[in-house]
Every structure is written in C-alpha cells, then in structure tokens.
Amino acid sequence: MSEYQTLNFADVSVGDSLPEQDIDITSGLVVSGALATRDYEPVHHDKSVAQAAGLPDVFMNILTSQALMTRFATDWSGPEAVVKSLDIKLGAPNVPGMVMKVTGQVTAKDGDSGVIDIAVTGENNIWGMHMAGTVQLALPQGA
C-alpha cells in the first residue's frame, strides 16, 4: 500500500497488528506539543518547574499523547479513514531522552458502520506504560 492509499474495511481483520513505531521523546517534541495545544503549564516547558514537581525534566502533556496515538492509527489506515473516537489512559510520564514504542492491534469490526477498534499502547523504555487506549476508525467499505 502506498502512503496515500486508505485501507478498505474488508481488508482488515480482528487480530491484525499495526507496525510498531519508536518515537524519540525530545525536549522539542514535549515543548512544541504543549505550545501547539495551548497548554502553558510550566511543567511542560520549564525544566526547573518540572524538577520542583519531582520529575527529572519537562514531561509530555495529554493532548500530545492523544495526537501521537491517533496519528499512529491513521498513518496505518490511510488518509480517508475517519477518527470516530479516542479513549486514552495515561500511565508513566514521557520525558526527554526516552523512546516510546507504540504498538497496536485491531480488536473489533462493525460491519454495519464500517468502524474498527484499534487497541494502542505506548511504552517508554524507562518507566513502562505511558498510554493505553482505543482508537475507533471508520474505513471505506467500497471496492
């Protein structure tokens, strides 16, 4: 599949695994994600404030985690997929210097709506589970 094609609902099966993705957690990613989502809490862009809160560095905000989870699913599915819902639970913080491995698997299909559920997990290499949840996508049903 080229990067511009969208998966067809009929071509996806429950149990299909998405290709793993490693995401380097950098200060730039953390800070730009916070600023792009208008999250001006100092713990996301001021290292000294984050350290005063007990963390070694600035940490990723939830909206950036949501975006990375959604992008992981839509990069796999293609540009015509429609995000129907996102359910996310956060665990350990992501701080600069970590690598988050994102994995996913198709867990459900609804033939009436063309919607699939994808269970997604992101684990960092130091503290473990950063995010876990489900992305629901509507895929094209035609040929």
Side-chain angles (χ1 to χ4, degrees):
M1 179 173 95
S2 94
E3 65 181 291
Y4 300 110
Q5 292 178 328
T6 300
L7 292 172
N8 190 295
F9 180 81
D11 296 330
V12 175
S13 299
V14 172
D16 286 354
S17 292
L18 282 66
E20 293 182 352
Q21 181 182 25
D22 288 337
I23 299 173
D24 292 324
I25 308 303
T26 64
S27 295
L29 174 61
V30 172
V31 173
S32 64
L35 293 177
T37 59
R38 298 180 180 208
D39 184 344
Y40 302 118
E41 283 295 320
V43 293
H44 300 306
H45 61 83
D46 186 328
K47 184 175 182 175
S48 65
V49 174
Q51 288 174 328
L55 288 157
D57 206 333
V58 293
F59 61 95
M60 184 175 287
N61 73 344
I62 188 170
L63 295 173
T64 302
S65 300
Q66 290 173 323
L68 292 173
M69 182 179 278
T70 304
R71 189 191 91 195
F72 173 73
T74 58
D75 280 357
W76 168 77
S77 63
E80 294 176 46
V82 177
V83 178
K84 300 305 267 183
S85 72
L86 171 67
D87 179 33
I88 188 171
K89 175 183 176 186
L90 290 183
N94 272 345
V95 299
M98 293 181 169
V99 176
M100 181 172 62
K101 181 178 291 299
V102 185
T103 59
Q105 184 175 49
V106 177
T107 57
K109 286 180 70 172
D110 180 348
D112 292 333
S113 65
V115 172
I116 63 169
D117 291 0
I118 303 169
V120 178
T121 302
E123 294 190 359
N124 66 49
N125 60 321
I126 298 175
W127 294 329
M129 196 280 288
H130 169 70
M131 63 182 186
T134 303
V135 179
Q136 281 194 328
L137 300 176
L139 296 177
Q141 296 193 59

